[in-house]
Amino acid sequence: MKTAPRAQDVAALAKVSQSAVSRTFTPGASVSEETRRKVLAAAKMLGYRPNALARSLITRRSRIVALVMSYLDNQFYPLVIEQLSQRLQKAGYHVLMFIAEVDEEADGVLAEILDYQVDGIIMASANLSPRLANSCADLGVPVVQFNRVMEQRGRGRSKISSVTSANESGGRMAARLLVERGYRRIALIAGLENASTSIERERGFTDELAVLEMRLWNREVGHYDFHRAQEATQRLFAGDERPDGLFVANDHMAIAALDMLRQELNLKVPEDVGVIGFDDVPQAAWGAYRLTTVRQDLEPMIDATVALLCQQMTGELRPADIVVPCALVERATVRQRPPSTA
Amino acid sequence: MKTAPRAQDVAALAKVSQSAVSRTFTPGASVSEETRRKVLAAAKMLGYRPNALARSLITRRSRIVALVMSYLDNQFYPLVIEQLSQRLQKAGYHVLMFIAEVDEEADGVLAEILDYQVDGIIMASANLSPRLANSCADLGVPVVQFNRVMEQRGRGRSKISSVTSANESGGRMAARLLVERGYRRIALIAGLENASTSIERERGFTDELAVLEMRLWNREVGHYDFHRAQEATQRLFAGDERPDGLFVANDHMAIAALDMLRQELNLKVPEDVGVIGFDDVPQAAWGAYRLTTVRQDLEPMIDATVALLCQQMTGELRPADIVVPCALVERATVRQRPPSTA
């Protein structure tokens, strides 16, 4: 094995001081054009690169956090990438992207992730099997599930952390709003059947309907996908007796439903149908939609994720589950209905 | 300096074979629960981590590509992140995210980037000063500018590559469409004044207007920002004589303009004003907008970026500038106007 060339090798070859080599490779540092040219020529000849990864072998820190995601078409996730990247960057870490297959466990990319010697792992819109999640913890690599929780398959508590919205209580808010506003034939479009966000939002929604002595009129699955959510909407409204209220498990699908209802089915929202989404992505506020929705409060979610991860990367591995409250955002797709004539 | 513990140290302490250690840290490999437990305990005690970064010191490859971006609210960029990550992942690389300040040169993050020993750098929606870009090349780290080109400040050709759309010819298409459809008072909302995309699109647009013996009616700057694009729209339409056609330098701002025109100014699109954007982001096709636009062909742009970078990371540093053609996508915001009564 050939030893990597060192700064002193470059200095010797270029006939300059070692500090001149260091300054050449420090952006912004002062060095004469002549010296710089000599150093670069010597570095090129030797194949030298500054600040070798050796540093992370000494400190045993790569300052890399893996971010595993399975799909980005939901407009919630670009914000997550941007804000996580920014916040971790300030804390001295950078985000390494791993794209997993939608709707499958991300176990396949784990070997690759560990190969990069990451200091921590954030799983967002992706699931890791409990067994592998726990073996990361065993290796001293903290894992935070962002916006997902892991199913507990028995065997006590998981060794990994999670940061989520209060999805169940958000689902309850949606049900209460529709019922209070006078909607009576209430339908739902679920997301992915195995995603905790969808499961919890639906559970809260139907539980609250039961409390209010209502039953779910109808239900379809949109798989958190734009096109499939439009098909789900079509199926829900195909019969003679149509729903008059609709809860959609995220805004991405709710916007798809609004387009289908208005443009294809020629229904008026909120006059013929009330629609409520979940997330409050920026697009929900766009003038053509003005979607009433349940807001996931991204900033505290990001804060908690970065705090949890940093604490565990530098200190004790003590997993925690943090739940951030949701809030109702009323815009123009749900309104008070006239008293029923039934 | 303490030497990092090796697999054989773990095997010795755990009293198992070295292969058992290796299997314990290979996700999916077969190993008994008993052996696994012993190996993990020994690894934890020694602070051992598998597949040490040592590998990249030997091969001198980190398999990391830095992706530098300055803002993600434009819906074009989430697609870029997803597709670049996916394509590079297939080629054996992963994307490390760096967020730079909007509208500033990204020189500040360069030291950090080089510190990660990246094999290559992609600058998307961010600029690097020519001096620093060239010093990356001198270090043997290829740089590809994605969707931006560098200003040539004299001194011959840059050492870095670029992949862009044919922005100028796209701007020409937009001008031709509006004029052919009978629009006569044609205004423009520019993006960032120093971004090559905005400069080239505007140049193509005004050049083609001149060819068609028309002049730009009015012009405002939206800074590629949703809110500022709405303000720009308001200013353009504040006078008594309003524009009847509008070219907006990207879809993100064009959607903002449509909301302003329809919801606030009570104008009809395309009856009162024709609007054409640029990019063809997924939202441009949403039912409530159906925006006529100039399509940037993302897939060949990503293909070219990955191909260029891989070729330069593994072989010769030969910079190239690749320009991908645009295409007109006609939807519902521009239509044939009745013959002028003026």
Side-chain angles (χ1 to χ4, degrees):
Chain A
M1 164 179 159
K2 200 178 138 204
T3 320
R6 297 156 309 166
Q8 49 259 58
D9 304 328
V10 176
L13 183 63
K15 299 199 172 71
V16 300
S17 71
Q18 210 175 309
S19 140
V21 174
S22 156
R23 276 178 288 119
T24 300
F25 293 116
T26 304
S30 161
V31 63
S32 79
E33 208 40 48
E34 165 77 2
T35 306
R36 199 173 154 273
R37 203 188 40 73
K38 282 199 249 174
V39 169
L40 289 177
K44 201 167 190 173
M45 197 174 300
L46 295 173
Y48 168 78
R49 284 217 206 158
N51 296 317
L53 279 176
R55 182 184 300 175
S56 57
L57 281 180
I58 299 167
T59 61
R60 327 205 54 248
R61 314 287 305 281
S62 64
R63 296 175 301 131
I64 293 173
V65 171
L67 176 59
V68 188
M69 292 203 151
S70 60
Y71 70 136
L72 301 177
D73 54 347
N74 174 0
Q75 295 84 26
F76 181 65
Y77 287 111
L79 296 175
V80 172
I81 296 179
E82 181 175 26
Q83 296 196 18
L84 271 179
S85 298
Q86 246 162 355
R87 294 290 313 277
L88 284 167
Q89 189 164 315
K90 274 184 196 150
Y93 295 89
H94 284 273
V95 162
L96 193 65
M97 294 290 305
F98 289 84
I99 309 286
E101 293 293 317
V102 176
D103 211 1
E104 285 186 8
E105 285 181 336
D107 293 7
V109 295
L110 187 67
E112 248 184 296
I113 293 174
L114 292 175
D115 211 23
Y116 278 96
Q117 295 287 105
V118 300
D119 290 337
I121 300 173
I122 299 170
M123 310 284 304
S125 74
N127 298 306
L128 202 57
S129 70
R131 192 177 72 83
L132 283 188
N134 285 338
S135 60
C136 288
D138 290 335
L139 289 169
V141 180
V143 179
V144 178
Q145 298 252 114
F146 181 89
N147 206 27
R148 288 288 155 92
V149 288
M150 190 166 287
E151 316 137 59
Q152 297 293 344
R153 297 181 188 156
R155 289 191 295 149
R157 82 154 270 121
S158 144
K159 294 176 185 167
I160 71 168
S161 300
S162 68
V163 175
T164 54
S165 285
N167 289 304
E168 211 173 301
S169 99
R172 288 181 181 274
M173 288 175 192
R176 220 149 43 227
L177 182 76
L178 288 174
V179 172
E180 281 175 8
R181 292 286 186 275
Y183 294 89
R184 290 297 173 258
R185 297 188 304 277
I186 296 174
L188 171 145
I189 297 179
L192 286 165
E193 293 278 30
N194 66 348
S196 60
T197 46
S198 185
I199 295 167
E200 294 173 1
R201 290 167 193 180
E202 178 166 1
R203 187 191 303 136
F205 189 77
T206 51
D207 284 2
E208 187 68 16
L209 284 185
V211 167
L212 300 168
E213 296 181 336
M214 298 271 297
R215 274 196 325 149
L216 197 63
W217 177 267
N218 210 343
R219 172 192 189 271
E220 289 285 347
V221 182
H223 302 268
Y224 285 149
D225 176 83
F226 199 85
H227 187 67
R228 295 175 82 174
Q230 295 204 308
E231 293 172 344
T233 309
Q234 223 164 5
R235 288 193 300 272
L236 279 178
F237 289 80
D240 283 342
E241 258 208 317
R242 290 167 151 170
D244 64 4
L246 179 61
F247 173 48
V248 191
N250 76 0
D251 290 353
H252 184 61
M253 296 196 300
I255 286 170
L258 283 175
D259 277 354
M260 174 55 68
L261 292 169
R262 288 169 167 163
Q263 320 282 330
E264 305 289 327
L265 304 175
N266 293 310
L267 291 170
K268 288 202 177 102
V269 179
E271 294 83 351
D272 300 327
V273 199
V275 176
I276 179 165
F278 209 111
D279 279 353
D280 196 26
V281 298
Q283 289 73 11
W286 283 1
Y289 296 105
R290 306 205 55 233
L291 178 67
T292 293
T293 190
V294 179
R295 179 171 165 73
Q296 297 214 76
D297 214 350
L298 187 57
E299 208 176 298
M301 290 175 76
I302 298 281
D303 284 349
T305 304
V306 171
L308 257 179
L309 206 62
C310 285
Q311 173 202 321
Q312 297 187 20
M313 288 187 300
T314 52
E316 196 59 29
L317 262 175
R318 194 173 303 149
D321 294 306
I322 292 176
V323 179
V324 175
C326 295
L328 200 60
V329 179
E330 289 201 61
R331 293 200 183 93
T333 57
V334 172
R335 69 161 189 192
Q336 186 62 49
R337 307 212 86 196
S340 171
T341 53
Chain B
M1 161 180 161
K2 198 179 138 206
T3 320
R6 296 157 309 165
Q8 48 259 57
D9 303 329
V10 177
L13 183 62
K15 299 199 173 68
V16 300
S17 71
Q18 208 175 310
S19 140
V21 174
S22 156
R23 276 179 288 120
T24 300
F25 294 117
T26 306
S30 161
V31 63
S32 77
E33 209 38 50
E34 165 77 5
T35 306
R36 201 172 153 272
R37 205 187 39 73
K38 282 198 249 171
V39 169
L40 290 177
K44 200 166 191 176
M45 196 175 299
L46 295 173
Y48 169 78
R49 285 217 206 158
N51 297 317
L53 277 175
R55 184 184 299 176
S56 58
L57 281 180
I58 300 168
T59 61
R60 328 204 54 249
R61 313 287 304 283
S62 63
R63 295 173 303 131
I64 293 173
V65 171
L67 176 59
V68 189
M69 292 203 152
S70 59
Y71 70 133
L72 300 176
D73 55 348
N74 175 358
Q75 296 83 25
F76 181 65
Y77 287 110
L79 296 176
V80 171
I81 296 178
E82 180 175 28
Q83 297 196 18
L84 271 179
S85 297
Q86 247 162 356
R87 294 291 313 275
L88 284 167
Q89 191 163 318
K90 274 184 195 150
Y93 295 89
H94 284 272
V95 162
L96 193 66
M97 295 290 305
F98 290 83
I99 309 286
E101 293 293 315
V102 175
D103 210 1
E104 286 186 8
E105 284 180 338
D107 292 8
V109 295
L110 188 67
E112 248 185 294
I113 293 174
L114 293 175
D115 211 25
Y116 277 96
Q117 295 287 103
V118 299
D119 290 336
I121 299 173
I122 299 170
M123 310 284 303
S125 71
N127 297 308
L128 201 58
S129 70
R131 192 179 71 83
L132 283 188
N134 285 338
S135 59
C136 288
D138 289 336
L139 289 170
V141 180
V143 180
V144 178
Q145 298 252 113
F146 182 89
N147 206 29
R148 289 287 155 92
V149 290
M150 189 165 286
E151 315 136 60
Q152 297 293 343
R153 296 180 186 157
R155 289 190 295 148
R157 81 154 271 121
S158 144
K159 293 175 186 169
I160 72 167
S161 300
S162 68
V163 174
T164 54
S165 285
N167 288 304
E168 210 172 302
S169 99
R172 288 181 180 274
M173 287 176 193
R176 222 149 45 227
L177 182 76
L178 288 174
V179 173
E180 281 174 9
R181 292 288 186 270
Y183 296 89
R184 290 297 171 258
R185 299 188 303 278
I186 296 174
L188 171 145
I189 297 179
L192 286 163
E193 294 276 30
N194 65 349
S196 61
T197 46
S198 185
I199 295 167
E200 293 174 1
R201 290 167 193 180
E202 178 165 2
R203 188 192 303 137
F205 189 79
T206 52
D207 283 2
E208 187 68 17
L209 284 184
V211 168
L212 299 167
E213 298 181 332
M214 298 270 297
R215 273 196 326 151
L216 196 62
W217 178 267
N218 211 342
R219 172 191 189 272
E220 289 285 347
V221 182
H223 303 269
Y224 285 149
D225 176 84
F226 200 85
H227 187 68
R228 295 175 82 175
Q230 295 204 309
E231 293 171 344
T233 309
Q234 223 164 5
R235 288 193 301 273
L236 280 177
F237 288 80
D240 284 341
E241 257 208 317
R242 290 166 150 171
D244 63 3
L246 179 61
F247 172 47
V248 190
N250 75 2
D251 289 352
H252 182 63
M253 297 196 299
I255 286 170
L258 284 175
D259 277 353
M260 175 55 69
L261 292 168
R262 287 170 169 162
Q263 320 283 330
E264 306 289 327
L265 305 174
N266 292 310
L267 291 169
K268 288 205 176 95
V269 179
E271 294 82 351
D272 299 327
V273 200
V275 176
I276 179 166
F278 209 112
D279 279 352
D280 197 24
V281 298
Q283 289 74 9
W286 284 1
Y289 296 105
R290 306 205 55 231
L291 176 67
T292 293
T293 191
V294 179
R295 177 170 165 75
Q296 295 215 76
D297 214 349
L298 186 57
E299 207 176 299
M301 289 175 78
I302 298 281
D303 285 349
T305 305
V306 172
L308 257 178
L309 206 62
C310 285
Q311 174 201 320
Q312 296 187 20
M313 289 188 297
T314 53
E316 195 60 29
L317 261 176
R318 196 172 301 147
D321 294 305
I322 292 176
V323 179
V324 174
C326 295
L328 200 59
V329 179
E330 289 202 61
R331 292 199 184 94
T333 56
V334 172
R335 69 164 191 191
Q336 187 61 50
R337 309 211 84 196
S340 171
T341 53

